[in-house]
């Protein structure tokens, strides 16, 4: 029989610890047993366990507090999705499609959940974009981010920031044929108007029109 590699054992420990969440033996925010207890439960050495815990911490699944112990994260963070995106770096069509798939769903939900305060934030961002014909990209990104978070879905929240950052990084590496400031502002205004009316269908259509134009601009520049 072939000996089990330490790396394989570490991965198995990762799966077993994640299994504690899946089975609801422990819940998000709960404290994990001590290292000694985990070693006894999983029949592994302390070096193997620590390797597994380091992997889980890198992925944002656990957090370690000095003198307090190790805890499961209370909500899904962006690290697991960031790692997955890093493996797709350079695949521009896939990144664009992923952004469309995520944001079209988010804006539809946002039309039902967005608050008056979040609408005021979007309106302020539109005004600032209108006054900044050059260098309005950060405002554009924040506009989309506010919409994503207004969907108020903790499972999806961890996805939007790394996806927008990856998209921005991708755009910085290609020479884009820039569209006019006026058309970009007009498309964002249409999205805002649909959200203000709490109209999911119109919000989806407006977001699709905007992202489709962005996708065509990107693909034509390749």
């Amino acid at each position: 029989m072939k000996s089990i590699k330490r790396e394989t054992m570490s991965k198995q420990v990762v799966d077993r610890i994640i299994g504690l969440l899946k089975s609801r033996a422990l819940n998000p925010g709960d404290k994990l047993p001590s290292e000694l207890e985990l070693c006894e439960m999983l029949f592994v050495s302390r070096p193997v366990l620590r390797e597994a815990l380091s992997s889980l911490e890198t992925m944002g699944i656990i957090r370690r507090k000095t003198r307090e112990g190790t805890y499961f994260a209370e909500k899904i963070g962006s690290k697991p999705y960031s790692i997955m995106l890093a493996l797709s770096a350079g695949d521009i069509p896939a990144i664009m499609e992923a952004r469309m798939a995520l944001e079209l769903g988010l804006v539809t939900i946002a039309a039902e959940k967005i608050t008056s305060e979040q609408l005021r934030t979007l309106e302020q961002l539109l005004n600032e974009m209108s006054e900044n014909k050059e260098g309005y990209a950060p405002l554009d990104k924040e506009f989309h981010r506010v919409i994503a978070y207004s969907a108020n879905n903790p499972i999806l929240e961890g996805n939007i920031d790394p996806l927008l950052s990856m998209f921005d990084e991708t755009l910085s590496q290609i020479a884009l044929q820039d569209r006019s400031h006026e058309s970009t502002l007009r498309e964002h205004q249409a999205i805002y108007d649909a959200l203000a009316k709490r109209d999911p269908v119109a919000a989806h259509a407006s977001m699709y029109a905007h992202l489709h134009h962005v996708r065509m601009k990107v693909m034509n520049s390749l």
Side-chain angles (χ1 to χ4, degrees), residues 71-140:
Y71 294 78
F72 278 118
E74 295 182 0
K75 61 186 294 186
I76 297 171
S78 63
K79 288 186 178 180
Y81 196 61
S82 297
I83 294 170
M84 185 175 70
L85 277 176
L87 296 174
S88 301
D91 190 345
I92 298 174
I95 292 171
M96 189 68 245
E97 289 171 1
R99 179 179 177 184
M100 291 185 74
L102 182 61
E103 288 205 65
L104 288 174
L106 285 169
V107 76
T108 304
I109 300 170
E112 300 175 349
K113 292 184 174 182
I114 195 166
T115 65
S116 297
E117 182 179 353
Q118 288 165 333
L119 282 170
R120 285 194 293 272
T121 299
L122 291 179
E123 186 175 22
Q124 181 179 350
L125 287 168
L126 280 174
N127 291 335
E128 292 179 20
M129 288 175 66
S130 177
E131 297 170 359
N132 291 273
K133 293 188 176 182
E134 301 292 337
Y136 61 87
L139 298 170
D140 188 331

Side-chain angles (χ1 to χ4, degrees), residues 57 71 137 193 195 215:
E57 188 172 29
Y71 294 78
D193 290 342
L195 290 172
R215 177 171 61 171

Side-chain angles (χ1 to χ4, degrees), residues 27-98:
N27 296 305
D30 284 352
K31 183 178 181 180
L32 274 70
S34 68
E35 285 191 1
L36 179 59
E37 290 172 317
L38 284 172
C39 286
E40 293 176 351
M41 290 168 55
L42 302 171
F43 303 102
V44 294
S45 65
R46 186 160 286 187
V48 170
L49 176 66
R50 287 178 175 173
E51 190 174 324
L53 292 176
S54 293
S55 296
L56 289 166
E57 188 172 29
T58 298
M59 291 187 287
I61 296 173
I62 64 170
R63 53 192 174 85
R64 291 191 257 195
K65 297 182 179 180
T66 305
R67 298 190 184 89
E68 291 187 30
T70 303
Y71 294 78
F72 278 118
E74 295 182 0
K75 61 186 294 186
I76 297 171
S78 63
K79 288 186 178 180
Y81 196 61
S82 297
I83 294 170
M84 185 175 70
L85 277 176
L87 296 174
S88 301
D91 190 345
I92 298 174
I95 292 171
M96 189 68 245
E97 289 171 1

Side-chain angles (χ1 to χ4, degrees), residues 9-44:
M9 292 180 66
S10 175
K11 289 179 180 178
Q12 290 176 0
V13 172
V14 167
D15 291 340
R16 292 283 299 278
I17 292 176
I18 292 176
L20 295 173
L21 282 177
K22 291 180 178 179
S23 66
R24 292 301 180 192
L26 290 175
N27 296 305
D30 284 352
K31 183 178 181 180
L32 274 70
S34 68
E35 285 191 1
L36 179 59
E37 290 172 317
L38 284 172
C39 286
E40 293 176 351
M41 290 168 55
L42 302 171
F43 303 102
V44 294

